[in-house]
Amino acid sequence: MVLYGKGAAPGAAVGSVYIYNKKFNIPKENFVDSGKEQSELDRYNTIKKQALEEIEKIRLNMSETDPAKAEIFDAHKEIVEDIIINEEIPARILNERWSGDWAIYQVYGDVLNLLKKTPDPLIAERAADFDDIRALLLQLWYGQKPPDLSGLKEPVIIAAKELFPSDTAGLKKDKVLAIITEKGGVTSHSAIIAKSFGIPAILGIDGLLGAVKQGQLAAVNALEGTVILDPKEDVTNEIIAKNSILLRDMKDADNYLYREARTLCGEKIDIGLNVSNANDEELKAQNYTDSVGLFRTEFLYMEKDTLPTEEDQFLQYKKVLECYGKKPVVLRTLDIGGDKQAASLEQRQKREENPFLGNRGIRFCFSNPEIFKTQIRAALRASCFGNLWIMTPMIGSMDDIRKIAKIAEEAKKELDNSGVKTGDVKIGIMIEIPAIALIADIAVKEVDFASIGSNDLCQYMCASDRTNIAVDDYYSPLHPAIIRLIDGIAKTFNNEGKPLSVCGELGGDIQAIPLLIGLGIRKFSMGAASVAAVKRTISKVTVVECEELAKKALTLGTAAEIAELISKVKEH
């Protein structure tokens, strides 16, 4: 039997399944006697304190081995102390005489339902954190010891409905061959921890717990997202061989991590980092990247229910700029809408029939000028602490570019008049709407730099929603039209001597890198996990070879033909 899911951390493994069930008693609707409301609330406050102590124990244990992951549990403490939840639960107990366990279950349930409805996977997966805290509070309420995976005796494949951060905190990686779950996505905490431990993981396997048995032999291939139950000997041998090859390849690529990215003929290629959370773990990549190629500032709007203040943003931007020093930090202004929703902006984001074609990116900022101006002011204030480049998303016209320049100028004048110092800042754009790509020769005159957002450019060029599996075959980053468009954009910016980078899926694709170099791209931005392999690829090709590859690709008529061509690139 074969099960399918999403590969969230690379690798393969064969071993016995360990089914991990984290159960808690689901309370029934219950009420306390009149006059006992306060004692019930007092008990809730005691349980809340115990939960904070339990989380702090986990955080301290984690901080000794991995300080970055310990930050997850700081977020858990914030959930326990969430202002809205801790207004709602006491209100239910005191005003409606709900029992404490029923109030915990229902109030957290309301938050979970809200989070799960959002189309943004980053926000939806925050539901796991709230579910984790609810389970902890109810276990403590009933006097149950919270389970964990720290006591595993033999290496196993963990199968679970969903793994929460507290489940994986005590994990000993030598006792875990792989992780497979029914829920969870590639950006969940479980996926992040699995990647950092080097544990193969497949998440989102429909019907997993109904299919597997305790102790059953399974073969996990996270590269293909498959779990084979009761595999035959030839299958197990194949999986083991694949994992050995992958591990050797990853180890070889790691040798290139701290090297400069140069082609075999000596051409320097800039490697930028995609920053999503600006935490210390992410910023360690400063040691082996040339810039922050894409600083996604949305996280500031997504992590809380209230809008980040100018000061909140200034401190985060300053932190990243100081970390990277003289290296460029490309700060992308708020890119919300489409598949991204934020709790702090919920009242301003109206339901749209076609959100990817709607009020997103710079359009949302223009319709909420006070939010945009606040972000620009915070960025300009931080610019004194490093080399800041401000980039705006979803640009579709010269009107957009000129409006942005005017707003930035107004913000700078306001700061100047207040005696606030600002540094030199470059202003650039994301090229992801075909309309601006086709007038790149005009746009280049009025911007300092640009970055090709390959994911959305592909989506709009191919008229294929990149989140819709039904049209996945039509979403093709190697479509000849996209390759030709990138070729034209690169020629335009190179002729003007202005920086141009590629981010998104293509920016970290080791097979596409030689083709893009051949088209004239010299700057790429990617996640930290892709850096070593990309540097290795760059080191084994010459510019002349890449240019010959690009010439051939520009004559081809299908994405499949281009994919076949680039797969045959010979490394020296």
Side-chain angles (χ1 to χ4, degrees), residues 460-530:
Y460 294 128
M461 282 291 289
C462 298
S464 173
D465 181 348
R466 59 190 172 92
T467 66
N468 186 344
I469 296 173
V471 292
D472 193 53
D473 288 344
Y474 295 93
Y475 179 84
S476 177
L478 294 177
H479 192 294
I482 295 171
I483 301 307
R484 291 186 180 196
L485 204 57
I486 292 174
D487 179 54
I489 298 166
K491 282 184 171 67
T492 296
F493 274 78
N494 289 339
N495 288 341
E496 290 290 330
K498 293 188 176 180
L500 175 71
S501 66
V502 170
C503 58
E505 184 179 338
L506 283 179
D509 186 334
I510 56 174
Q511 287 206 315
I513 294 292
L515 171 59
L516 294 170
I517 291 173
L519 293 172
I521 304 298
R522 296 294 182 269
K523 294 170 73 73
F524 299 92
S525 190
M526 64 202 71
S530 301

Side-chain angles (χ1 to χ4, degrees), residues 483-484 487 491 514-520 543-557 562 565-566:
I483 301 307
R484 291 186 180 196
D487 179 54
K491 282 184 171 67
L515 171 59
L516 294 170
I517 291 173
L519 293 172
V543 172
V544 170
E545 289 168 340
C546 292
E547 288 173 344
E548 287 299 317
L549 180 72
K551 282 180 186 176
K552 290 178 184 175
L554 290 167
T555 67
L556 300 177
I562 293 174
L565 175 70
I566 64 177

Side-chain angles (χ1 to χ4, degrees), residues 186-219:
V186 294
T187 58
S188 66
H189 287 316
S190 295
I192 292 166
I193 289 174
K195 284 178 185 174
S196 65
F197 280 166
I199 298 171
I202 302 176
L203 312 183
I205 304 171
D206 190 35
L208 171 66
L209 295 186
V212 297
K213 299 173 185 174
Q214 196 76 267
Q216 186 174 19
L217 187 68

Side-chain angles (χ1 to χ4, degrees), residues 211-428:
V212 297
K213 299 173 185 174
Q214 196 76 267
Q216 186 174 19
L217 187 68
V220 175
N221 185 347
L223 296 172
E224 297 177 5
T226 59
V227 178
I228 302 172
L229 302 179
D230 299 317
K232 294 180 180 178
E233 187 177 351
D234 60 334
V235 173
T236 63
N237 291 338
E238 182 185 349
I239 292 288
I240 292 168
K242 281 183 178 179
N243 195 47
S244 296
I245 292 168
L246 176 66
L247 291 174
R248 282 199 304 270
D249 185 68
M250 291 170 66
K251 189 175 181 181
D252 178 70
D254 283 343
N255 293 324
Y256 294 81
L257 187 61
Y258 289 93
R259 299 184 190 180
E260 247 190 351
R262 288 189 179 273
T263 62
L264 196 60
C265 56
E267 181 96 8
K268 175 74 173 72
I269 307 295
D270 284 350
I271 302 297
L273 175 71
N274 291 344
V275 169
S276 298
N277 293 300
N279 57 34
D280 293 339
E281 180 69 14
E282 273 196 320
L283 296 179
K284 283 180 183 177
Q286 182 272 337
N287 296 311
Y288 51 82
T289 51
D290 301 304
S291 66
V292 170
L294 179 62
F295 182 3
R296 299 182 175 104
T297 59
E298 300 79 63
F299 81 96
L300 288 165
Y301 299 80
M302 292 177 171
E303 60 183 7
K304 293 182 180 178
D305 295 332
T306 55
L307 285 170
T309 65
E310 183 179 316
E311 188 67 16
D312 292 335
Q313 296 182 68
F314 162 71
L315 292 173
Q316 285 292 337
Y317 304 158
K318 177 174 175 278
K319 175 184 176 181
V320 178
L321 284 160
E322 285 183 329
C323 177
Y324 268 76
K326 294 181 180 179
K327 297 177 182 179
V329 172
V330 179
L331 182 153
R332 184 178 69 185
T333 57
L334 179 60
D335 188 12
I336 211 75
D339 59 342
K340 300 192 193 88
Q341 305 293 312
S344 65
L345 299 167
E346 188 179 1
Q347 299 303 315
R348 299 169 185 262
Q349 290 185 276
K350 296 177 181 177
R351 181 175 176 79
E352 297 176 294
E353 289 298 320
N354 294 297
F356 279 107
L357 301 178
N359 193 29
R360 59 173 297 211
I362 197 63
R363 300 170 181 180
F364 179 85
C365 291
F366 285 158
S367 62
N368 294 273
E370 74 286 0
I371 292 176
F372 188 46
K373 177 73 77 69
T374 298
Q375 182 171 36
I376 295 296
R377 281 175 56 94
L380 291 174
R381 285 175 56 196
S383 64
C384 293
F385 298 91
N387 183 4
L388 179 65
W389 298 19
I390 296 176
M391 179 170 70
T392 48
M394 279 293 285
I395 302 302
S397 68
M398 293 305 299
D399 292 327
D400 289 345
I401 291 172
R402 289 164 186 167
K403 196 169 182 178
I404 290 158
K406 185 179 178 182
I407 293 170
E409 187 180 344
E410 288 173 357
K412 188 176 187 314
K413 279 183 181 177
E414 289 174 8
L415 293 170
D416 288 343
N417 292 337
S418 302
V420 178
K421 292 182 179 179
T422 58
D424 293 328
V425 175
K426 292 184 185 296
I427 304 290

